[in-house]
Amino acid sequence: MSSTGITLRPLVAYIRVSTGRQGKSGLGLEAQRRAIGEFASANGYEVVAEYQEVETGKGADALERRPQLASALAQARKLKCAVAVSKIDRLSRDVAFIATLMVQRVPFIVTELGADADPFMIHLYAALAQKERALISARTSAALQSLKAKGAKLGNKTNLSEASARGAESNKAGADAFAQNVLPVIESIKRQGTTTMTGIAAELNARNVQTARGGRWEAMQVSRILKRAA
């Protein structure tokens, strides 16, 4: 209830950045938080919970790769309220993934579309975002082919060791980002009284939170997450 005595509707905020670097710097987070907060104030909502995610790279358009989104959905389902994002691409640019979210029995609000945007409209904007991504990819590919046709050498086959090192670094960044995302869920489980690695793994499985590779949790995997976070 607000200071004016008006009962405010609860709202769960979901904020996502696309890289570990953005997550550490806070780039984009405040803008999303501000957009959701301004929407809530203007439309009679109160943000009662916020979930923040760092995209883990390839395969991020899958709910099991978004533990914070899964937690936001669970909280919204419990409170019987909506999940709010600032822009459609904070959910995804993938229409199939958006369709998967629409069947979760939790309404979504995209603040830039307004309070009256229905699921069909959200699907439409997701399709446009997906098309935009495809066009960017096509333009990039065409530009590279044009350079190749002009005789430019694309890539450097002599730098295999450097490329391998960069690949290892990328994998580590992805693992760090996943650990950062799932750690708040583990901490929540611990606060509820479950503190053993086996118990935490069982609770993660019960909540349908999957491992980074899409599997089920074991005590050793929980231990690795906590060590990586430390």
Side-chain angles (χ1 to χ4, degrees), residues 13-27:
Y14 176 69
I15 296 172
R16 181 174 71 92
V17 290
S18 299
T19 66
R21 183 177 180 182
Q22 285 183 340
K24 291 176 182 177
S25 69
L27 183 63

Side-chain angles (χ1 to χ4, degrees), residues 84-106:
V85 294
S86 60
K87 295 184 177 183
I88 190 68
D89 63 2
R90 294 307 83 198
L91 283 177
S92 175
R93 289 188 177 95
D94 186 87
V95 176
F97 183 65
I98 295 293
T100 299
L101 294 178
M102 293 296 108
V103 300
Q104 296 295 317
R105 296 180 289 111
V106 173

Side-chain angles (χ1 to χ4, degrees), residues 181-193:
N181 288 333
V182 81
L183 185 62
V185 182
I186 293 176
E187 293 299 331
S188 173
I189 293 171
K190 290 169 68 177
R191 285 195 297 270
Q192 293 175 3

